[in-house]
Amino acid sequence: MGTRLAAFDRAAGAAPLTAVARTAYVARLLRDGESARAYLQWVSGLPAAERAHLGLLFNGDFELPLGHPPFGWETTPTPTWTPRVAPTPGAHGTAALELRFRHFTPRFAHLRQRLLAPPGHYQLRGAVRLDGLTSLAGLHWRLDCPPSAPGAP
């Protein structure tokens, strides 16, 4: 680890990083393949109420607004689709993710979340309600595992 990065490892009682400094530091850690340290720095910047939504997925119940990169839900906005978290009948909590599409034709890859999970077997579960979706290809979920950084286990 470089000495410049080591300077950001704060001693107990030291002043916390500003939001801008934490964002830059987390981005640098990710570029350097230090995903676990980046995640811990990111978590340490979350308010206590938001830390209650930590799990394998952050905000997997969509009770918080979307956002909180790089380990929260990230979206790529376009004029042809709109995401929102809203109270939804039948949701397993107080809200659910709603995606609205308007003449959307490209392959949808506009909602994502970076996970930090050890190798293993996982099962993706969720509830989906399709209201008026017309699609020749149907609905597919995709999980990608990026290649490990050099020197990563």
Side-chain angles (χ1 to χ4, degrees):
M1 170 189 8
T3 56
R4 287 183 292 203
L5 289 181
F8 280 97
D9 289 334
R10 311 301 265 184
L17 292 175
T18 66
V20 171
R22 182 179 316 282
T23 298
Y25 183 45
V26 167
R28 173 64 187 264
L29 288 170
L30 287 171
R31 276 193 311 275
D32 290 350
E34 297 274 351
S35 298
R37 287 184 59 213
Y39 180 76
L40 292 174
Q41 279 295 326
W42 176 80
V43 166
S44 70
L46 292 175
E50 292 180 6
R51 284 196 302 269
H53 294 271
L54 289 170
L56 191 54
L57 284 174
F58 173 68
N59 190 24
D61 55 6
F62 298 106
E63 296 293 319
L64 298 173
L66 299 177
H68 301 83
F71 293 99
W73 291 108
E74 295 184 64
T75 61
T76 303
T78 73
T80 58
W81 82 284
T82 306
R84 76 180 188 131
V85 173
T88 304
H92 293 285
T94 61
L97 176 64
E98 177 182 284
L99 302 177
R100 291 187 178 236
F101 297 94
R102 288 175 302 283
H103 307 291
F104 190 89
T105 56
R107 178 172 286 194
F108 183 77
H110 300 71
L111 177 70
R112 65 200 156 279
Q113 184 173 132
R114 180 188 310 256
L115 304 180
L116 187 63
H121 297 279
Y122 297 91
Q123 183 178 28
L124 175 66
R125 289 185 301 183
V128 176
R129 189 178 85 203
L130 303 175
D131 295 333
L133 177 68
T134 303
S135 169
L136 295 175
L139 179 66
H140 302 270
W141 292 95
R142 186 178 91 191
L143 301 176
D144 290 323
C145 296
S148 296

